[in-house]
Amino acid sequence: MTITRDAFVMRCYLGAAATYPFCKFQFLMGDPVKGIDLSGYDTIAFDMRYSGRGRRVVKLHLLNFEPEFSNLSDWNSQRFNELLIDLPSEPRFTIPMSAVRTADWWHFSRRIPLSKSYVRLDHVTAVELATDNYSATGQVITVELRKIEFRGKWISKTTLLDWLMFAWIGFGMLALSLGLLHFRSDLQASETRLEQMAVIDRERKAAEAAREAALAEAVALARQRSNFVAQMSHELRTPLNAIIGYAHLLARDRDHLTERQASGLGAIRESGQYLLALINDILDLARVEAGKMVLHPAAVDLGAFVQVLANIMRVKAEEKGLAFSCELAPGLPSTVTVDETRLRQVLLNLLGNAVKFTDSGKVTLRVLPAPLADVPDGQDDAATARLRFEVADSGIGMSAQQIGRIFQPFEQVATAKRSEGGTGLGLAISQQLVRLMGGNIDVASEPGKGSTFRFEIAVPVAAGGPVTVQPQDTLVGYEGERKRLLVVDDVPLNRAMMLDLLQSAGFVVAAAANGLECLVLLDSFKPDLILMDVMMPVMDGNETTRRIRRMPGWDGIPIVAVTASAGADDERKSRDAGADAFLAKPVDHDALLRTVGKLLSLQWITEQAAPATTEGGDDARMTVPPAAEIEELWQLARIGNMRQIRERAAYLQGLDPAYTAFASRLDMLAQGYHSKRLAAFVARFRTEDAVRPP
């Protein structure tokens, strides 16, 4: 060992007689027990030169003293956090702190439980740099160390929970408000231009030519509005990805939260979902206007579908003291082919408005057969049915002038009190969706005498039954060697959220802020899969993906595009660049983990939604509600509406005391936002009879 003014120089002869020949530097750090805290650093900078035969490789050890496992008399009892470094040709280089992991031999020798197998660097007592080239026995290795420097700071979860989360929520709401005001301003400007053109038409007595020009300009303005909304959605989805993502992660640790914190977390989650619903409504309208909305028809049990809608709205109606009835006429087909999601969206909008604008009386949903007009060429009359849906109420009604405005975007013809909580998009989207299905919504109404909304659509009669989607178990880890994932995202909050999610699932994770940093980290970190954001400075995700596909040795690495640009064109561009999968922000955590597992062929370790040893016996003693109630709860669980599930649980408990145990279990799972366990609990009571009306 030689110590000069600016370097430590170690010349090491690796003897052939030693079982594990190695030489090492060791720097003691602070107190032998307390050490120093390195958990706040995110990169390690080196200035090191190496000479010798064979591989140019060294190991970095960060020894952490933990009273739970360590003692002063046994050096190996300290946690061995290690990093194997393939030395680059340049002496100066940096490595992310996230690449450090706890040595497997230490896990096994100390019998460390999986829950405490993470890297811990709060009491580092020693930093070691050791040779790791066993093939160089009988040779001299020289290591010249000039610098080891720990840099950077992480953002703490406490700070995120205290102010960043609320700051992003405020930013998202402000951005959405500005976008809506801008959108409305465009609409008003369009109307003004059309009026001015009408005056010019009358003066020049060329009404036909002017109408055509106005139509062309209106189409152009609609396209501009659609493009604006699509671009705006990316900026809104980016903060929502962190808001909803951290709410999901923190909900997993609900046992460690106070009741007040859990309640606040639920409010954050519901607010994020509400913002996402508003964004999706605006995007739906833009897609329809741009002709890009696509329906996805599938076999649907008509009776069960209508019954679930009726049960959902019956609760809302009874809250206001209204009567609610559902009438299915005889002669309807049992199973039809239709886009269930979009048809449900239309009917819930119409029924929700009916309840909202009715103070006394009743609300009625009717489904009737209608005569077929024109059957498409090549389709048999017997294979097609025409359905009429009617939503009638005894509410405040509307004037003819109001009826002429209700299908316009952002129009609310009611008083300010009744307009509260809405955006004026529901009826506009519903009309466009029904037209896409081949129908048109008509309205009959008089002030003070209620309203009736009706539409007719032709649907194919399905031969087979609907497909039942079964709940999936919660993913908690995977078997085999730990996989290394590289997260590439220019937003620090999104990177931190992804690191938390993936590390909790057992992955070794590093992060890069742009495509150029991603390319630099490939050889030092050696990831097994890359999660790639698309819109980034310096080098965007698609260009980075194309470059990786042209690099020898990396052309086959799985790449998942994760982006807030959620359109079909965005997915096509990412796949053309070489992405193996595409996920839209806000990211569904289960979908992300299952996508990674599929690309890496992982064998997942799952947590059963309800342990058979404890809940099975309770289920046997429960009195279960009728099949229609179970089916309604199943539909609510699928869409994650915890508030309505809790309301339904209270309703069941008041309906019959025998349902108390069943209702209490529902309320407990919904209050804790245990969506997977809730879906699995309800699914256990579903039968073939439960999905069909009695």
Side-chain angles (χ1 to χ4, degrees), residues 252 255 471-478 590 594 604-612 674-677 680:
R252 292 185 173 184
D255 294 338
Q472 295 177 314
D473 295 332
T474 302
L475 306 180
V476 297
Y478 58 91
D590 287 338
R594 294 184 188 280
W604 285 107
I605 301 171
T606 60
E607 178 184 74
Q608 296 296 328
H674 300 301
S675 56
K676 294 291 188 299
R677 293 178 59 191

Side-chain angles (χ1 to χ4, degrees), residues 261-302:
Q261 290 171 332
S263 177
L265 181 61
I268 291 172
R269 196 172 185 178
E270 286 189 3
S271 297
Q273 293 292 347
Y274 178 70
L275 284 173
L276 181 59
L278 291 180
I279 295 169
N280 288 335
D281 279 348
I282 296 172
L283 289 177
D284 281 346
L285 184 62
R287 289 192 187 103
V288 173
E289 289 181 347
K292 296 181 179 180
M293 175 66 75
V294 178
L295 298 179
H296 300 281
V300 175
D301 187 311
L302 183 59

Side-chain angles (χ1 to χ4, degrees), residues 100-115:
V100 177
R101 66 186 186 90
T102 302
D104 292 335
W105 68 264
W106 188 79
H107 289 160
F108 299 142
S109 64
R110 299 294 160 184
R111 298 182 180 179
I112 305 301
L114 180 61
S115 62

